Amino acid sequence: MSRKKRVYYFGPAGAEGSSSQKNLLGGKGANLAEMCNLKIPVPPGFTISTSACVDFFAGGNVWPDGLINEITKSVKRIEIETGKGFGDKENPLLLSVRSGARASMPGMMDTILNLGLNDETVEGLGKISGNERFAWDSYRRFLAMFADVALDINRSQFESALGRLKEKLGVKSDTDVPVESLRELALEYKSIIEGAFDEGFPQDPKTQLSMAIGAVFRSWHNDRAKEYRRMYKIPESWGTAVNIQSMVFGNLGETSGTGVAFTRNPSTGERLFFGEYLFNAQGEDVVAGVRTPLSIDQMGARTPSAHKELIRIYQRLEKHYRDMLDIEFTVENGVLFMLQCRVGKRTAQAAVRIAVEMAGERLISKSEAVNRIHADQLDQLLHDTIDPSAGLSPVAHGLAASPGAGVGRVVFTAEDAVTWKKNNEKTILVRRETSPEDIAGMNAAEGILTATGGMTSHAAVVARGMGRCCVAGAEELNINEVEKFFAVNGHTVKEGDYITIDGTGGNVYLGQAPLVKPELSGEYDTLMSWADKFRKLKVRANADTPKDAKIARKFGAEGIGLCRTEHMFFEGDRIIAVREMILADTLEERKEALAKLLPMQKSDFKGIFDVMEGTPVTIRLLDPPLHEFLPKTESDFEKVALDLGVDISILKSRSDSHHEFNPMLGHRGCRLGITYPEIYEMQVRAIMTAVCELKKKGKKVKPEIMIPLISHVEELTKLRKLVQNVVDEVLGEFGLKMNVMIGTMIELPRAAITAKRIAEEADFFSFGTNDLTQTTFGLSRDDSGRFLPHYVADGILASDPFVALDRDGVGELIKIGVAGGRATKPKLEIGICGEHGGEPSSVEFCHQNGFDYVSCSPFRTPIARLAAAQSAIMEKENTLSDMPPGKTGKKIVVKSKPSKKAASRWSAKKKALVKKETEKAEKEKAERRAKKKATKSPGGKTPKR
């Protein structure tokens, strides 16, 4: 029985894998293999598969059978390719060991460079390279990296030792430390290792490799990797691949170096090769931000041929992958080697521009362009910017690493950023440079400010992926992380002080700058116009005021799917009238208070209808329990008592009578309408009066009246009659006729299960998934935040069910509700108006289950529009892939007028085909005549059969 293959080789002659095998080889390994297959210069190496990692953990951190043998054989192949020996004292082969999951996780897992160095091979490396300083610089780097990753020794000890040495020598840069001092430093590093690890530093290269591979496997479960997976919903079960390559050296001298580049600008999307380069450095120096790099253009001055080759390769790779790429490379003595290529992280602004421009360049189709944008990314397009009219002067300037502006109090540690956020404090995380351990704090902060690093440093890359604004490389900052302050240009900024950072311009300001909302780009408009052509779902917005409605229309909402009338009750002085209505002792008193509210409600509705002219507006009648509106303070009680002319003690007694132990399941929604019908009567009268007044002015108004919390059809029967009576009454008063849709929210399990009956009385269903989730799970969304994160972290739930729709439970109830409703009324309008209406996976569910529309907050309408388009495109692609060869389904036929060139080609093909078929028919006809002639008798008659 053959063993499972777990190691895949790649080199100049080609590779055992390709870019299509990301699940097996991880993204890095698959793309290294692909570059080798394209004959692009890549140092030879091999990839240990993700399945080996999964088996490693399944076996209790024990290597799978046969893996060591496969690794040994692959190392031998590298030795043959390079002419070097692993552990050879005279011509040593050094290796890099890097992680590589199938999804890009920049900086989240571990890397070890220069593996294979020891006290003997370092001497051989110095001799064969003719550069002792390079050899000892590589050795001290390896010692620190190996100790950190494989032995779990805090790297700060090694950085402190290097810092003390530079201070003693009076030099600023690592490259200024002489070889003799590097020898001493290596000894000190080994001493640190021996003090923390009883067995000391392992001198055997094979032992080093074994320990390094195990450490990279285990880094899949480090804290920062787990946090990153949680944020980006990457399954723990995937595991990581490990990539082992022959080292190439960027720290050999001034004709060597290392760089990171993007085939287009990752912040703006501009079609311009964008990158950074460090001479005489290794790759970790660029991404760690320990030195501020040069632009990629400056590389060409010293190594012109390598720069020219880099341009050629990046252009070829972008055309091959049809996407913006992030590439890493090293130049060794003027010779270029590619170390990585992957689809590049980018801001939302850049993603939109790149997708639209690539479609214009015909690299991708319009449907691919729409699918290139993660729907949630559009949130980033709505980030604040600093008001240009503020006339502020920056106190410092750095690199514009990630766009947007942020205001917050200064904190100096990731832990503090997380803690302060829990206390509802907005922060700016200030660091000399960030590291992967800072991931949670970066996520908690409003923005990130660093003193060193460039556009491809950890801070910049991670901030762009998160949508956080970031200013990197602000070298004027003198940061004291111990005493928690920084000094800059004569100012001292302490922990807790406010600052503002501008990630678009790279500026830092003291205090709180005024912020403004952004204007959306032309590329955004183009992309969304394409999305709107693909999608089938309509997108409405949840809006309770004319202001919200204007924002909704601006972002493309096609109506209001939920207007919550209770939110209007808290405006201005009207809360007094609401409290009077609730605490009234008689029906007359209650109607008196409601009469005060009617013109206020009418005015609200009129404003919303006016803004949303020509589109449907769904107004939900009063839903929350009455206690939410009651006085809370003594002064509030005094005011209401004065207005009603009753004793305050009586009011308090009435207030107590409305107390409920579980108000979420208590006297609310339609139950209020049944016990206090005058409340709903007032609201419907206000709605219809607003409608009629606008119709009299020639406005097109489309009201839909929604009755909440229905659990039994008889509730809806009773309340529909009440609503219809008021509608008819008001229309009669104005001498108008119109049909007004009256429907209900399906937000209780019983309503979903009995939807077939409920649909008899409803013109539409709107699924209220917030309450439906609460009542299905038996959870309170106000309290479940204390434990739901643990459920997600422990894998009990894939995601918070209040964020992404629970398809297995809540989703099944919705399916029952949709099927039941449409069994009664096949054309029943169905929508969703919970928070899920703007969450991409939930929008996809709605598309798949035949909804007419989704409704969400105004700022999430673009997300819903894009997600709806992507769902439609995916459905079409799946339909195509499911079809037998040569078949075309009617559903997916796209009629379009062919170009003249295409029409000409088709006409020529058609003529050739007709000619061929005609000739074939003539030939067959001739053969039949000949056969018939041959079968005739000599007398010319055909014999009888």
Side-chain angles (χ1 to χ4, degrees):
M1 180 177 171
S2 60
R3 279 200 179 98
K4 180 179 177 183
K5 183 175 175 63
R6 292 187 174 90
V7 175
Y8 296 78
Y9 191 80
F10 56 83
E16 294 178 331
S18 71
S19 61
S20 65
Q21 294 176 288
K22 285 185 180 180
N23 291 0
L24 179 69
L25 304 178
K28 187 175 294 182
N31 289 327
L32 285 168
E34 188 76 5
M35 286 194 289
C36 287
N37 293 333
L38 292 170
K39 304 304 179 187
I40 286 169
V42 172
F46 57 92
T47 299
I48 302 172
S49 68
T50 56
S51 63
C53 178
V54 172
D55 292 342
F56 172 79
F57 289 123
N61 289 10
V62 175
W63 288 29
D65 290 343
L67 181 59
I68 293 175
N69 187 45
E70 283 191 82
I71 291 170
T72 302
K73 287 181 179 178
S74 295
V75 170
K76 287 286 183 189
R77 287 185 70 176
I78 299 177
E79 289 179 322
I80 294 167
E81 293 269 14
T82 60
K84 300 176 182 179
F86 190 50
D88 190 283
K89 298 176 186 178
E90 295 181 357
N91 189 13
L93 169 67
L94 303 188
L95 300 173
S96 65
V97 183
R98 303 172 189 261
S99 62
R102 67 171 85 171
S104 177
M105 296 173 62
M108 295 303 111
M109 289 175 290
D110 292 327
T111 293
I112 295 178
L113 306 180
N114 305 316
L115 187 141
L117 282 173
N118 57 28
D119 293 348
E120 294 179 330
T121 55
V122 67
E123 300 289 357
L125 182 65
K127 287 177 184 176
I128 199 165
S129 66
N131 188 335
E132 279 191 81
R133 192 200 174 282
F134 145 72
W136 284 95
D137 180 54
S138 300
Y139 193 21
R140 67 94 185 168
R141 289 171 181 268
F142 171 55
L143 287 166
M145 200 175 277
F146 186 85
D148 175 31
V149 174
L151 306 178
D152 200 26
I153 300 171
N154 195 314
R155 191 159 185 167
S156 64
Q157 296 182 63
F158 302 97
E159 292 171 351
S160 297
L162 176 60
R164 288 193 299 272
L165 177 61
K166 290 196 292 185
E167 188 176 347
K168 177 183 173 183
L169 295 170
V171 299
K172 289 186 176 181
S173 175
D174 297 359
T175 57
D176 295 328
V177 178
V179 63
E180 297 80 10
S181 298
L182 289 173
R183 284 176 181 270
E184 293 173 11
L185 188 63
L187 285 172
E188 186 175 353
Y189 279 9
K190 284 192 290 180
S191 177
I192 293 170
I193 293 171
E194 287 166 5
F197 187 63
D198 291 341
E199 298 176 25
F201 171 70
Q203 294 283 331
D204 177 23
K206 291 179 181 177
T207 302
Q208 294 172 6
L209 181 57
S210 175
M211 293 175 71
I213 293 169
V216 172
F217 275 158
R218 288 191 297 275
S219 72
W220 178 250
H221 287 302
N222 69 36
D223 289 341
R224 62 182 185 269
K226 287 193 285 189
E227 175 70 9
Y228 192 91
R229 289 201 298 272
R230 183 194 66 77
M231 288 165 51
Y232 292 98
K233 300 177 183 176
I234 297 171
E236 182 182 314
S237 59
W238 284 2
T240 181
V242 181
N243 299 286
I244 290 132
Q245 269 182 291
S246 169
M247 282 292 300
V248 286
F249 301 99
N251 58 332
L252 266 170
E254 292 306 306
T255 58
S256 301
T258 188
V260 176
F262 296 85
T263 59
R264 303 190 186 209
N265 189 305
S267 286
T268 67
E270 184 181 5
R271 192 182 180 185
L272 182 70
F273 190 43
F274 175 92
E276 294 172 332
Y277 187 76
L278 279 175
F279 286 104
N280 198 16
Q282 287 197 329
E284 60 171 328
D285 298 335
V286 179
V287 296
V290 295
R291 286 165 58 189
T292 300
L294 306 171
S295 75
I296 204 77
D297 296 330
Q298 292 169 286
M299 169 190 170
R302 292 189 203 173
T303 53
S305 62
H307 183 259
K308 185 177 179 181
E309 177 72 351
L310 180 65
I311 300 297
R312 183 189 70 80
I313 287 172
Y314 102 72
Q315 290 174 342
R316 185 181 178 196
L317 285 173
E318 185 179 86
K319 190 173 182 180
H320 178 75
Y321 281 93
R322 302 185 310 124
D323 206 343
M324 185 273 276
L325 300 176
D326 167 2
I327 60 176
E328 293 180 19
F329 62 94
T330 286
V331 177
E332 181 181 280
N333 289 328
V335 180
L336 176 71
F337 294 92
M338 302 301 296
L339 303 182
Q340 175 168 283
C341 79
R342 62 187 173 193
V343 173
K345 298 280 185 185
R346 64 203 78 181
T347 64
Q349 292 96 323
V352 170
R353 180 172 177 178
I354 289 168
V356 171
E357 290 188 353
M358 282 192 166
E361 295 159 25
R362 300 200 173 183
L363 278 176
I364 60 176
S365 66
K366 289 179 181 178
S367 62
E368 285 176 299
V370 169
N371 272 342
R372 284 280 171 92
I373 313 301
H374 294 292
D376 274 331
Q377 260 191 312
L378 293 184
D379 247 353
Q380 296 178 29
L381 296 177
L382 310 177
H383 284 320
D384 295 344
T385 55
I386 294 172
D387 187 343
S389 65
L392 302 174
S393 297
V395 70
H397 185 79
L399 299 172
S402 186
V407 177
R409 296 178 183 271
V410 169
V411 293
F412 292 92
T413 69
E415 294 78 11
D416 284 342
V418 172
T419 301
W420 286 42
K421 183 173 183 179
K422 288 178 181 176
N423 295 324
N424 296 317
E425 290 281 3
K426 294 183 177 181
T427 61
I428 301 294
L429 179 60
V430 179
R431 305 281 280 155
R432 179 167 178 74
E433 70 267 346
T434 62
S435 68
E437 283 80 8
D438 294 327
I439 182 77
M442 296 173 74
N443 189 42
E446 297 295 303
I448 299 103
L449 170 63
T450 68
T452 63
M455 295 291 283
T456 52
S457 65
H458 175 267
V461 172
V462 174
R464 283 195 294 270
M466 288 180 171
R468 295 290 181 275
C469 58
C470 177
V471 175
E475 296 182 336
E476 298 159 292
L477 270 62
N478 187 355
I479 299 173
N480 188 324
E481 293 181 356
V482 176
E483 297 185 23
K484 297 189 175 181
F485 72 87
F486 70 82
V488 56
N489 296 324
H491 300 275
T492 299
V493 179
K494 300 175 182 177
E495 181 182 58
D497 290 347
Y498 277 105
I499 63 169
T500 300
I501 63 171
D502 173 16
T504 305
N507 293 317
V508 182
Y509 303 89
L510 298 177
Q512 304 177 69
L515 304 180
V516 294
K517 297 292 180 188
E519 291 294 325
L520 297 171
S521 68
E523 288 87 5
Y524 165 85
D525 292 334
T526 299
L527 184 85
M528 296 309 292
S529 70
W530 295 346
D532 289 339
K533 289 175 182 175
F534 287 115
R535 67 182 167 92
K536 298 175 184 176
L537 276 173
K538 296 289 185 182
V539 177
R540 301 186 190 180
N542 301 340
D544 310 325
T545 66
K547 180 182 176 183
D548 290 344
K550 285 178 184 176
I551 294 170
R553 287 216 92 160
K554 176 185 174 184
F555 290 131
E558 297 159 300
I560 300 296
L562 175 62
C563 175
R564 292 159 286 216
T565 54
E566 62 272 8
H567 287 189
M568 303 169 180
F569 287 175
F570 289 99
E571 295 273 327
D573 292 335
R574 63 184 68 182
I575 188 64
I576 298 168
V578 174
R579 288 168 176 168
E580 288 177 10
M581 178 267 294
I582 297 169
L583 297 173
D585 194 34
T586 65
L587 177 61
E588 288 70 26
E589 286 180 357
R590 193 155 40 251
K591 285 188 173 181
E592 208 174 295
L594 288 168
K596 295 179 185 178
L597 285 170
L598 192 149
M600 300 175 189
Q601 289 255 278
K602 185 194 79 169
S603 175
D604 293 327
F605 297 140
K606 202 169 178 179
I608 293 170
F609 286 138
D610 193 35
V611 172
M612 301 305 298
E613 184 183 8
T615 67
V617 176
T618 306
I619 298 174
R620 182 181 72 185
L621 302 180
L622 188 65
D623 182 43
L626 296 179
H627 80 90
E628 288 191 10
F629 305 101
L630 292 176
K632 303 293 189 295
T633 66
E634 192 71 17
S635 61
D636 286 341
F637 272 110
E638 289 173 358
K639 199 167 187 179
V640 178
L642 184 64
D643 287 338
L644 287 177
V646 297
D647 188 86
I648 194 169
S649 61
I650 296 173
L651 273 189
K652 287 182 177 179
S653 176
R654 292 179 191 170
S655 177
D656 290 341
S657 70
H658 287 284
H659 172 75
E660 294 180 283
F661 287 105
N662 191 350
M664 194 274 287
L665 297 176
H667 193 192
R668 54 168 287 214
C670 66
R671 299 158 194 173
L672 288 172
I674 288 171
T675 53
Y676 299 115
E678 58 273 13
I679 297 176
Y680 278 13
E681 285 172 350
M682 179 278 291
Q683 290 194 299
V684 177
R685 176 165 283 277
I687 292 167
M688 291 310 301
T689 304
V691 168
C692 291
E693 287 181 2
L694 288 170
K695 284 186 77 67
K696 284 287 187 179
K697 292 181 179 179
K699 299 275 186 178
K700 293 180 180 178
V701 190
K702 296 183 178 180
E704 296 181 355
I705 298 174
M706 183 157 66
I707 301 168
L709 212 74
I710 291 291
S711 62
H712 197 288
V713 67
E714 293 302 328
E715 292 172 317
L716 187 57
T717 300
K718 184 176 181 67
L719 289 174
R720 181 188 177 100
K721 185 177 180 182
L722 178 150
V723 171
Q724 191 65 61
N725 286 341
V726 178
V727 167
D728 293 342
E729 187 179 311
V730 176
L731 287 172
E733 290 169 6
F734 281 85
L736 294 171
K737 290 184 179 180
M738 67 180 296
N739 290 322
V740 176
M741 293 179 70
I742 302 170
T744 184
M745 288 185 84
I746 303 294
E747 51 191 327
L748 295 174
R750 191 182 192 283
I753 292 167
T754 62
K756 191 172 183 179
R757 289 286 316 280
I758 290 173
E760 293 171 5
E761 299 290 343
D763 298 325
F764 65 88
F765 282 174
S766 179
F767 283 89
T769 50
N770 298 340
D771 275 353
L772 189 57
T773 299
Q774 289 192 99
T775 51
T776 302
F777 273 94
L779 290 173
S780 165
R781 60 177 170 163
D782 297 320
D783 301 313
S784 59
R786 299 174 187 175
F787 59 86
L788 274 181
H790 297 289
Y791 272 54
V792 175
D794 291 345
I796 297 170
L797 293 174
S799 59
D800 185 329
F802 293 108
V803 175
L805 188 72
D806 163 49
R807 296 193 181 200
D808 294 338
V810 178
E812 287 301 309
L813 279 173
I814 292 173
K815 287 180 182 179
I816 291 168
V818 171
R822 289 204 168 135
T824 300
K825 291 181 178 176
K827 294 185 179 181
L828 183 73
E829 181 183 81
I830 293 177
I832 184 174
C833 62
E835 291 301 314
H836 299 100
E839 194 279 321
S841 69
S842 307
V843 173
E844 179 189 43
F845 173 88
C846 294
H847 170 88
Q848 291 168 344
N849 287 279
F851 279 51
D852 294 294
Y853 69 86
V854 296
S855 188
C856 56
S857 70
F859 284 97
R860 291 192 72 82
T861 50
I863 295 171
R865 289 165 63 197
L866 186 60
Q870 291 170 346
S871 300
I873 292 167
M874 188 182 300
E875 179 186 57
K876 178 181 173 182
E877 289 173 351
N878 289 342
T879 305
L880 277 169
S881 65
D882 289 342
M883 284 186 181
K887 298 289 183 183
T888 304
K890 290 182 179 179
K891 276 187 173 181
I892 60 163
V893 172
V894 180
K895 293 183 179 180
S896 59
K897 188 177 180 181
S899 66
K900 288 182 179 179
K901 192 174 180 181
S904 176
R905 283 199 304 268
W906 167 241
S907 179
K909 285 181 181 179
K910 188 176 179 182
K911 286 177 182 176
L913 186 64
V914 170
K915 183 180 179 183
K916 186 177 179 181
E917 291 297 322
T918 303
E919 289 173 351
K920 183 180 177 182
E922 290 295 334
K923 185 179 178 182
E924 288 174 350
K925 190 175 179 181
E927 287 173 351
R928 284 196 300 272
R929 280 200 302 265
K931 189 175 180 181
K932 189 175 182 181
K933 189 175 181 181
T935 56
K936 284 185 178 181
S937 64
K941 293 182 180 179
T942 304
K944 292 182 179 179
R945 294 183 181 278

